[in-house]
Amino acid sequence: MTTSSVPTDHSGTERLRDRIAEVLTTARARTLGLTDVVDEAELVAQHSRLMSPLVWDLAHIGNQEELWLVRDVGGRDPVRADIDELYDAFKHKRVNRPELPLLNPTEARGYVGTVRDKVLDVLDTSALRGNQLVDGGFAFGMIAQHEQQHDETMLATHQLRTGPAVLTAPSAPAAAVRVSGEVIIPAGEFTMGTSTDPWALDNERPAHPVRLPAFAIDAAPVTNEQYLAFVEDGGYERPELWSERGWAHRVEAGLVAPQFWDRDPAGHWWRRVFGVMAPLRPHQPVLHVCWFEAEAYAKWAGKRLPTEAEWEKAARYDPDTGATRRYPWGDAEPDSATANLGQRHLEPAEVGAYPAGASPAGVHQLIGDVWEWTSSGFEPYPGFRAFPYREYSEVFFGGDYRVLRGGSFGTDPVACRGTFRNWDHPIRRQIFSGFRLARDLGRDEI
């Protein structure tokens, strides 16, 4: 069963109940996998000022699950009301969290286990309908997505930590087909966002018509090989390629290449991948670049970043039928043939590795591999309504954020779809971020 319809019969409710149990179990297995592979000292350490200690993420996952599913949906007594403030992400900045009286690793593991037992009991007795919070299992889906989002954050923490490698996974696949050039997306209206996906979050709603002129968008994300040409052409030494803010950040931060890249004395480029130095794979999408770097590359290449609306139209619109799909390939859930998701690999796949996941227009790898920066700021859609709490989206609207789309190899399928919106500051690059380019069409091309 997909999560795109709300069941109205008993068998449908039981299938939904099974689906919820499955995504909760998958998320918890990943959480424990990311926290069990390091010792207690590493769990409580802050590996970067940008990130929380792993043990904070672990207990925060349990606390959010307790607040929404045990107390709100289940109406049960609190498990640990005394720790609510400790794990409120808005009350304590990441840089300050190591100084808090946090649960130690043993206590945190016990806490999340107790909460999960109660949640599964709530799931067994919930009708999964009756109000907006539980209709279609929304609250359960929201919590599964929340846990997987923190799992991706913890994966980024693993990339930032030093010391021996502790994570393993098969290498991401090589290209199956050759993908290059750009695709023209025709002018016209399409439906952006969704009003029907029961697990879509508030910033993805409501569905609304958007009319765009025709535009060109790259068939694939920018690769390491392409980005290396920018580096070797002096892209980081040419202020004319950068915005005023971007150049100031490049200078202040000392940027000379994507994060985790390193050149050896012989001139060969390497990339640190979760504690292992590996030769740069030229045909993988470039990774760990900030928005300012993507913007500078686009100017160097004579193009621009796509708007959020352009990205979504390229990902969801079928020019032959006029339909708007859930994913580039259709409405079916992602699998290993269509997208690199779910930490199945610890790196992006090469461009052309997932021809079955291409859009009808021929745009590849829009889902998975790397989050793609767009030129758009994070703003509400027309008719937006915060639900179930303002702090998920509304408090971020209008700030210094740029929208990213599509998910990465570290994003779980439950937290990734054609309408899903991510956002971050334009200086951030510890996230699994890359980009593709777009451009306006000349009159002779329209």
Side-chain angles (χ1 to χ4, degrees):
M1 173 183 171
T2 70
T3 57
S4 57
S5 61
V6 177
T8 57
D9 58 88
H10 176 72
S11 61
T13 299
E14 290 309 307
R15 287 196 302 272
L16 177 58
R17 210 184 305 280
D18 291 343
R19 167 68 171 158
I20 290 167
E22 176 190 359
V23 297
L24 289 174
T25 300
T26 298
R28 185 53 45 84
R30 186 180 178 194
T31 298
L32 297 179
L34 288 164
T35 51
D36 287 350
V37 292
V38 292
D39 61 25
E40 293 204 0
E42 293 223 46
L43 282 175
V44 302
Q46 186 171 47
H47 298 282
S48 165
R49 288 169 60 86
L50 296 174
M51 313 302 277
S52 306
L54 292 169
V55 75
W56 186 92
D57 285 289
L58 175 61
H60 170 77
I61 285 167
N63 185 245
Q64 289 294 295
E65 190 167 320
E66 180 191 349
L67 289 172
W68 288 104
L69 300 184
V70 176
R71 300 186 205 173
D72 284 7
V73 173
R76 310 291 176 88
D77 292 336
V79 178
R80 288 290 303 268
D82 59 307
I83 64 172
D84 290 350
E85 185 171 329
L86 276 179
Y87 295 99
D88 186 328
F90 285 87
K91 292 188 182 296
H92 306 285
K93 294 180 179 180
R94 287 180 177 179
V95 69
N96 298 325
R97 289 171 188 169
E99 310 306 320
L100 299 172
L102 303 176
L103 299 183
N104 65 41
T106 300
E107 291 169 332
R109 290 185 177 108
Y111 171 62
V112 299
T114 297
V115 169
R116 176 52 59 86
D117 289 343
K118 291 181 179 295
V119 164
L120 294 177
D121 187 54
V122 170
L123 176 61
D124 284 343
T125 58
S126 174
L128 301 178
R129 59 179 179 270
N131 62 64
Q132 189 177 0
L133 189 62
V134 297
D135 283 349
F138 173 81
F140 295 93
M142 178 184 72
I143 288 301
Q145 292 177 80
H146 174 265
E147 181 162 356
Q148 287 285 8
Q149 287 165 351
H150 274 272
D151 287 344
E152 183 166 359
T153 298
M154 289 195 287
L155 187 64
T157 301
H158 273 275
Q159 172 67 4
L160 288 161
R161 66 176 282 276
T162 58
V166 295
L167 298 176
T168 59
S171 296
V177 296
R178 188 174 185 276
V179 179
S180 62
E182 58 187 19
V183 171
I184 293 178
I185 305 298
E189 186 176 281
F190 83 107
T191 300
M192 187 170 184
T194 179
S195 297
T196 58
D197 192 315
W199 289 5
L201 303 170
D202 61 3
N203 63 61
E204 302 172 64
R205 302 171 182 270
H208 58 286
V210 174
R211 180 171 293 275
L212 295 173
F215 63 95
I217 190 167
D218 285 0
V222 171
T223 65
N224 288 329
E225 181 178 54
Q226 292 169 322
Y227 198 87
L228 182 57
F230 166 73
V231 174
E232 295 185 336
D233 194 41
Y236 282 85
E237 287 78 47
R238 297 168 58 183
E240 72 273 13
L241 297 176
W242 299 70
S243 65
E244 183 176 351
R245 280 190 65 202
W247 182 252
H249 174 65
R250 191 217 70 76
V251 172
E252 180 183 7
L255 306 184
V256 296
Q259 191 172 14
F260 308 115
W261 280 30
D262 187 41
R263 181 161 46 190
D264 66 24
H268 302 125
W269 284 93
W270 298 71
R271 188 169 75 85
R272 183 159 63 86
V273 184
F274 298 98
V276 176
M277 295 303 297
L280 203 65
R281 289 179 64 176
H283 304 303
Q284 285 179 323
V286 67
L287 184 64
H288 295 300
V289 290
C290 70
W291 187 85
F292 290 131
E293 290 169 293
E295 180 189 42
Y297 177 95
K299 187 170 183 179
W300 175 80
K303 295 186 178 184
R304 59 175 174 80
L305 295 176
T307 67
E308 184 182 12
E310 287 172 338
W311 188 97
E312 186 167 326
K313 185 172 184 179
R316 301 183 64 212
Y317 178 71
D318 185 339
D320 292 332
T321 65
T324 302
R325 301 169 164 210
R326 193 163 183 245
Y327 299 99
W329 55 84
D331 293 333
E333 296 286 329
D335 60 24
S336 60
T338 52
N340 179 13
L341 292 164
Q343 202 182 312
R344 196 166 54 243
H345 309 288
L346 291 172
E347 59 182 352
E350 291 186 355
V351 162
Y354 294 97
S359 74
V363 188
H364 288 247
Q365 283 158 274
L366 286 152
I367 299 293
D369 289 306
V370 293
W371 287 103
E372 297 185 14
W373 289 109
T374 72
S375 64
S376 300
F378 187 49
E379 300 288 350
Y381 289 159
F384 167 84
R385 186 172 68 85
F387 178 80
Y389 61 112
R390 292 183 61 249
E391 289 78 10
Y392 181 72
S393 304
E394 187 175 346
V395 297
F396 298 100
F397 290 144
D400 184 31
Y401 300 100
R402 289 294 182 270
V403 173
L404 303 103
R405 289 301 208 102
S408 77
F409 65 89
T411 307
D412 189 79
V414 76
C416 190
R417 48 197 162 264
T419 57
F420 192 91
R421 307 172 76 194
N422 191 6
W423 65 96
D424 214 328
H425 294 289
I427 65 172
R428 295 289 186 248
R429 61 181 195 161
Q430 86 281 4
I431 56 178
F432 303 117
S433 53
F435 62 99
R436 75 179 69 220
L437 300 181
R439 66 177 178 87
D440 300 330
L441 297 180
R443 288 187 178 181
D444 59 331
E445 296 178 284
I446 298 176

